[in-house]
């Protein structure tokens, strides 16, 4: 019957549209509306999930905090619309750099977090240094604000490692933040690993 065919087509189309809408709603709930990266809630859930599945004797991953240096000055000098453009561009560059080892999201107004699982066959430090240096070089490329004006973004990256620097999300995030702060205090636009020399001060600050 031709009428049955029409009903079937409508049913398939309605179901497809509903699934597309639900997928879109889920995307909005999990991602930052400005940059398109994961939002903070989703990122910390990913960190918690990875820790829950981790074997402290075998699992290794790195948490990076990526902070745009002097972002407030940028907003004051060029305006918030241009500041948003810089955030979108940095978020896009992080997304383009991401692969199966990299999960990234926006942690604060001008900082992103990246979670990287380290392949079992790789050396933790050298693998992280190589990947982070490549990412930093990508993020500090010029950003065009308009047809005649561009900026050279400066990026500070702080790095903490599981399990060496912490075995829970709060400790790892705090250590990465502390390393980022140290990078900024040293002039910014640098990559700093959280290390034993920072640990005493870090523990004192957490009391």
């Amino acid at each position: 019957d031709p009428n049955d065919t029409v009903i079937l087509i409508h049913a398939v189309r309605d179901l497809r549209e509903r699934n597309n809408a639900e997928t879109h709603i889920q995307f909005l709930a999990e991602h930052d509306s400005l940059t398109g990266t994961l939002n903070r809630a989703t990122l910390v859930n990913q960190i918690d999930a990875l820790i829950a599945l981790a074997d402290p004797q075998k699992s290794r991953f790195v948490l990076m905090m990526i902070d745009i240096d002097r972002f407030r000055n940028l907003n004051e000098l060029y305006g918030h619309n241009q500041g948003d453009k810089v955030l979108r561009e940095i978020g896009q560059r992080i997304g383009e750099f991401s692969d199966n080892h990299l999960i990234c999201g926006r942690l604060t107004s001008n900082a992103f977090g990246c979670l990287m699982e380290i392949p079992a066959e790789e050396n933790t430090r050298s693998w992280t240094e190589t990947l982070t240096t490549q990412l930093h070089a990508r993020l500090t490329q010029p950003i065009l604000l308009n047809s005649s004006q561009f900026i050279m973004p400066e990026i500070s990256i702080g790095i903490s490692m599981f399990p060496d620097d912490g075995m829970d999300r709060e400790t790892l995030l705090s250590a990465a933040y502390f390393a980022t702060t140290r990078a900024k205090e040293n002039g910014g636009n640098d990559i700093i690993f959280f290390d034993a020399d920072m640990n005493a001060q870090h523990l004192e600050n957490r009391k």
Side-chain angles (χ1 to χ4, degrees), residues 150-171:
F150 68 90
I151 65 164
M152 300 291 292
E154 295 188 347
I155 304 292
S156 292
I157 300 180
I159 300 172
S160 62
M161 296 185 177
F162 174 94
D164 296 356
D165 301 324
M167 297 181 64
D168 62 84
R169 179 239 303 170
E170 183 180 352
T171 303

Side-chain angles (χ1 to χ4, degrees), residues 107-154:
L107 283 173
T108 68
S109 60
N110 62 298
F112 298 83
C114 284
L115 186 66
M116 303 184 295
E117 290 191 78
I118 302 173
E121 68 277 9
E122 298 290 348
N123 176 275
T124 300
R125 180 82 180 204
S126 61
W127 186 85
T128 303
E129 285 179 345
T130 298
L131 194 71
T132 309
T133 300
Q134 292 172 353
L135 176 59
H136 189 267
R138 177 74 183 94
L139 297 181
T140 52
Q141 292 296 307
I143 295 177
L144 190 67
L145 297 181
N146 52 52
S147 59
S148 61
Q149 193 173 46
F150 68 90
I151 65 164
M152 300 291 292
E154 295 188 347

Side-chain angles (χ1 to χ4, degrees), residues 43 46-47 50 59-66 94 97-105 113-119 124-136 157-163 172 191 193:
L43 181 62
Q46 295 270 13
I47 297 171
L50 191 57
S59 301
R60 299 170 301 158
F61 62 85
V62 172
L63 181 63
M64 293 190 302
M65 184 168 289
I66 301 167
I94 291 172
F97 190 86
S98 298
D99 58 21
N100 292 332
H101 299 300
L102 201 59
I103 301 169
C104 297
C114 284
L115 186 66
M116 303 184 295
E117 290 191 78
I118 302 173
T124 300
R125 180 82 180 204
S126 61
W127 186 85
T128 303
E129 285 179 345
T130 298
L131 194 71
T132 309
T133 300
Q134 292 172 353
L135 176 59
H136 189 267
I157 300 180
I159 300 172
S160 62
M161 296 185 177
F162 174 94
L172 288 169
I191 302 166
F193 283 76

Side-chain angles (χ1 to χ4, degrees), residues 2-207:
N3 290 332
D4 291 340
T5 303
V6 171
I7 292 172
L8 179 61
I9 291 172
H10 277 294
V12 170
R13 186 178 64 189
D14 290 345
L15 183 60
R16 186 174 299 156
E17 289 175 353
R18 178 179 177 181
N19 288 340
N20 289 341
E22 290 176 349
T23 300
H24 182 62
I25 290 170
Q26 183 176 354
F27 180 89
L28 293 177
E30 295 178 349
H31 290 76
D32 174 59
S33 59
L34 177 63
T35 65
T37 62
L38 296 177
N39 57 33
R40 180 184 175 88
T42 305
L43 181 62
V44 299
N45 285 341
Q46 295 270 13
I47 297 171
D48 287 342
L50 191 57
I51 291 173
L53 295 173
D55 179 349
Q57 303 302 319
K58 298 179 181 179
S59 301
R60 299 170 301 158
F61 62 85
V62 172
L63 181 63
M64 293 190 302
M65 184 168 289
I66 301 167
D67 198 299
I68 304 172
D69 294 340
R70 291 172 283 280
F71 185 72
R72 181 179 297 178
N73 293 347
L74 188 153
N75 271 333
E76 292 175 352
L77 186 60
Y78 298 106
H80 287 279
N81 287 339
Q82 298 290 28
D84 286 351
K85 184 173 184 178
V86 171
L87 282 168
R88 283 194 295 270
E89 178 64 26
I90 294 297
Q92 181 177 335
R93 292 178 181 184
I94 291 172
E96 290 170 350
F97 190 86
S98 298
D99 58 21
N100 292 332
H101 299 300
L102 201 59
I103 301 169
C104 297
R106 189 178 178 193
L107 283 173
T108 68
S109 60
N110 62 298
F112 298 83
C114 284
L115 186 66
M116 303 184 295
E117 290 191 78
I118 302 173
E121 68 277 9
E122 298 290 348
N123 176 275
T124 300
R125 180 82 180 204
S126 61
W127 186 85
T128 303
E129 285 179 345
T130 298
L131 194 71
T132 309
T133 300
Q134 292 172 353
L135 176 59
H136 189 267
R138 177 74 183 94
L139 297 181
T140 52
Q141 292 296 307
I143 295 177
L144 190 67
L145 297 181
N146 52 52
S147 59
S148 61
Q149 193 173 46
F150 68 90
I151 65 164
M152 300 291 292
E154 295 188 347
I155 304 292
S156 292
I157 300 180
I159 300 172
S160 62
M161 296 185 177
F162 174 94
D164 296 356
D165 301 324
M167 297 181 64
D168 62 84
R169 179 239 303 170
E170 183 180 352
T171 303
L172 288 169
L173 280 173
S174 181
Y177 175 79
F178 192 86
T180 307
T181 301
R182 179 64 60 86
K184 287 177 170 292
E185 290 172 349
N186 292 346
N189 204 34
D190 199 6
I191 302 166
I192 298 290
F193 283 76
F194 185 81
D195 59 32
D197 293 337
M198 301 181 197
N199 197 41
Q201 184 181 352
H202 178 244
L203 292 174
E204 182 66 26
N205 289 349
R206 285 170 58 84
K207 288 181 180 179

